[in-house]
DNA sequence: ATGAAAGCGCTAACAC
DNA sequence: GTGTTAGCGCTTTCAT
């Protein structure tokens, strides 16, 4: 419920109007509304009452112009409804709001040349106090020097610019854990279905898979390339099904894993009896597909919150040391899509 | 790539700086940058060059303060990574950007009392030119009178306020189509697993189901209630499996349908041989689960674009008639989770 | 086709 | 504790 704010003339009330009604100066209104100290309780109450009565709302454009800060954070995100990016966005929004920042969002479409640069440019024009780049893909070396702090979510720091922080680089470890799970089950080696190579997130996972195999001196099969979609998983699955030696597959996300399982099943190869499959993300349906999917859980919310904490710190205490990121916990969720290899 | 904007003093260049460099007045710079007419090509070029050289960027706070418009649209969205809401957000962002508007996003957590009202309030404070409320849930009658146009996505207009438009109310028809598909297959009736009753989207679908049954004079079984999650679908599925008369189920979204299928399968009831299941949304994995899911596709992108078109129109031509929404097309995707009922 | 002057509604710096 | 005075960087209105 919002009172209509009935100032004569139909325009929105300004802080002078509140001041007049409360019988104080305009600056005092500003003080109260910004929670500054040195205001008597009596005055504070009168101001608040007057503001309420008028239906007064701060004008953030004026505030931004005068203070040089917008109290807003810009987010550059891929325009996909994928579970990971969507979850990160939610986490970021919530953490930003808790910290008192509004969110401005710009999507970059995959394949859009200059996408990230253009997006950042537009956020800068909007005057954001900080920028979050979520799940970046690379499109050539992005070197934009930006005068606000930047948080890169899900990738190592590669952006130029002095004030950059990063979190969520733990995916490599998660991927390694997934691969080791399969190896521990007795599989001789593990095939890998990767995401698009331009995504850092995809390369991270491939790296984790590779290092697990290398550490145990296992043969490293050629990597299959998908595009995160179940459809691409299905395609890859058909290839995999044709190769009788395949007993274990690590897919870089759950959607692709589901596609792989479908293709395997159609080809008459049972999961997990003949072939084990593990996914990545733990999307909400993962526990309910057939067979329930063994996967690795990404703590999206924790990653987003932690990242935003660092970003806000960088915004508000520009001189403080860049605090190190606390890497989030690893969690492997074992369900029914993995088992020991068939004995023959 | 962004030039550092080397004005002496380290502050960002302003339009006067550009004017000075180009040898014109500050107002002329403003004219060029806003694409106004009556600027000679020569002057335009000089201004643009000077701006480029300085790395000049418009200050949107100043512009907003002076013009009274922010060229931004606020979005109120539920804080979920569900496919539907996420897809809508992407469509809205893209359409807004194409129309020259920036996006400000606020999430409301489910169950947060006063969520929508608070979110709208905060957007108003940010000075948005229009507001999009995506997939609203009701939390008591929300009657906030707002002085900017509001677009409600996925719900009939119920917000107070004079300038409200709506789109995406076609879900009822889609749900009806899904139910009729089952009836056409020969099922005596169709059981329904609904979403949370507080969501308009859930009620719409239930309504469509109900009307299909009523139109054919069929018995209407009690509605089961889920929360959109596969887990809740699984719960409901167990109940359904215990009832030998159930041969057809319409779940209000794909995630729940997947949960239902899982429970049915575990209970030894085959899908689609014993029981048919249809979902709603056509999430990307729907074609690859076992069995591939028959579902109904929501044209999220079209709904979002159409809605935004109406909203922008309402913003820019306040006096024009509220153009009617073009309802998007119905699309039933028949896959393998539905079949005629078992003969006995 | 271009320019000069006057604010938009707030916060910053300083005075009292 | 509270008030005064200047801007913040643009767009608007009106001249020219």
């Amino acid at each position: 419920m919002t009172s209509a704010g009935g100032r004569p003339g139909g325009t929105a009330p300004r802080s002078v109007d509140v001041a007049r009604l409360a019988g104080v100066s305009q600056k005092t209104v500003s003080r109260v509304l910004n929670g500054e100290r040195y205001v008597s309780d009596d005055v504070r109450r009168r101001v608040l009452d007057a503001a309420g009565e008028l239906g007064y709302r701060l004008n953030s454009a004026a505030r931004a112009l005068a203070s040089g800060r917008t109290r807003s954070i810009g987010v550059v995100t891929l325009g996909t409804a994928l579970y990971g990016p969507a979850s990160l966005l939610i986490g970021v929004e919530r953490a930003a709001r808790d910290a008192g920042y509004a969110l401005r969002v710009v999507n970059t479409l995959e394949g859009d040349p200059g996408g990230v640069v253009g997006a950042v440019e537009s956020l800068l024009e909007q005057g954001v106090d900080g920028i979050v780049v979520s799940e970046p893909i690379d499109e050539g070396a992005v070197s934009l020097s930006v005068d606000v702090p930047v948080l890169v979510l899900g990738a190592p720091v590669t952006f130029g610019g002095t004030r950059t922080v990063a979190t969520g680089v733990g995916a490599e470890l998660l991927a390694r854990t997934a691969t080791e799970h399969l190896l521990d089950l007795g599989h001789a080696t593990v095939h890998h279905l990767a995401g698009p190579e331009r995504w850092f997130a995809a390369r991270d996972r491939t790296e984790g898979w590779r290092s697990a195999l290398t550490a145990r001196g296992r043969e490293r099969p050629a990597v299959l390339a998908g595009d995160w979609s179940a459809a691409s998983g299905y395609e890859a699955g058909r290839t995999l099904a044709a190769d009788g030696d395949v007993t274990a597959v690590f897919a870089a996300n759950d959607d692709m894993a589901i596609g792989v399982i479908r293709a395997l099943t159609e080809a008459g190869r049972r999961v997990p009896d003949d072939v084990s499959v593990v996914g990545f993300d733990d999307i909400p349906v993962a526990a309910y597909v057939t067979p329930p999917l063994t996967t690795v859980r990404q703590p999206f919310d924790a990653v987003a919150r932690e990242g935003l904490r660092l970003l806000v710190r960088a915004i508000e205490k520009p001189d403080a040391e860049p605090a190190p990121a606390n890497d989030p916990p690893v969690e492997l969720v074992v369900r029914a899509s993995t088992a020991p290899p068939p004995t023959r």
Side-chain angles (χ1 to χ4, degrees), chain A:
Chain A
M1 232 160 35
T2 305
S3 116
R7 262 200 350 137
T11 47
R14 297 157 306 159
S15 61
V16 243
D17 301 320
V18 176
R20 199 143 34 219
L21 184 59
V24 298
S25 79
Q26 186 267 341
K27 171 67 219 187
T28 297
V29 174
S30 173
R31 278 209 182 85
V32 171
L33 266 23
N34 287 301
E36 288 173 29
R37 280 163 318 179
Y38 306 128
V39 201
S40 70
D41 287 352
D42 174 48
V43 168
R44 160 165 285 117
R45 257 249 330 300
R46 267 168 33 223
V47 168
L48 259 18
D49 287 352
E53 187 173 330
L54 258 25
Y56 172 73
R57 257 189 301 262
L58 257 155
N59 178 324
S60 67
R63 186 219 275 261
L65 182 56
S67 69
R69 298 193 34 198
T70 53
R71 292 206 71 82
S72 74
I73 287 175
V75 181
V76 178
T77 181
L78 252 347
T80 71
L82 291 172
Y83 182 71
S87 300
L88 281 174
L89 181 58
I90 291 164
V92 165
E93 194 278 342
R94 179 143 47 169
R97 191 144 43 92
D98 289 350
Y101 286 79
L103 220 62
R104 319 219 173 161
V105 176
V106 182
N107 287 170
T108 60
L109 293 331
E110 268 222 71
D112 174 12
V116 173
V117 174
V120 168
E121 198 64 35
S122 99
L123 289 173
L124 255 17
E125 187 160 303
Q126 290 181 59
V128 296
D129 296 339
I131 290 179
V132 178
V133 180
S134 177
E135 297 276 9
I137 60 181
D138 59 22
E139 16 161 67
V142 176
S143 81
L144 62 183
S145 58
V146 169
D147 44 352
V148 300
V150 175
L151 164 68
V152 183
L153 239 35
V157 182
T158 44
F159 278 69
T162 32
R163 306 161 68 195
T164 308
V165 292
T167 48
V169 198
E172 182 178 337
L173 178 56
L174 290 171
R176 182 168 175 154
T177 305
T179 308
E180 284 168 347
H181 163 65
L182 259 5
L183 261 17
D184 290 345
L185 248 15
H187 295 273
T189 190
V190 175
H191 288 251
H192 176 49
L193 170 55
E197 209 184 324
R198 301 162 56 232
W199 289 57
F200 288 99
R203 297 207 297 272
D204 261 16
R205 291 165 205 192
T206 299
E207 204 34 65
W209 162 79
R210 195 192 314 274
S211 72
L213 255 27
T214 304
R216 305 221 185 159
R218 300 305 173 83
E219 182 205 346
R220 220 163 53 210
V223 173
L224 294 167
D227 65 4
W228 300 129
S229 74
S232 72
Y234 180 77
E235 281 311 313
R238 290 169 60 119
T239 305
L240 260 7
D243 178 351
D245 290 341
V246 175
T247 67
V249 179
F250 164 47
N253 79 348
D254 289 344
D255 285 27
M256 293 196 295
I258 289 169
V260 167
I261 291 173
R262 175 86 213 144
L264 255 14
T265 305
E266 283 184 6
R269 307 206 57 189
R270 291 161 307 159
V271 177
D273 312 73
D274 300 322
V275 182
S276 287
V277 177
V278 3
F280 201 101
D281 278 352
D282 197 22
I283 61 176
V285 298
Y288 298 93
V289 294
T290 301
L293 196 61
T294 292
T295 188
V296 111
R297 179 175 299 155
Q298 294 221 77
F300 293 109
D301 199 66
V303 168
R305 294 192 92 75
E306 171 68 4
L308 223 90
R309 193 181 64 73
L310 299 179
L311 182 64
V312 168
R313 202 180 122 105
I315 291 171
E316 297 179 353
K317 301 198 171 57
D319 305 318
E321 315 248 310
N326 300 326
D327 268 337
V330 171
E331 193 171 355
L332 176 72
V333 185
V334 178
R335 290 198 273 248
S337 66
T338 51
T343 50
R344 36 169 156 179

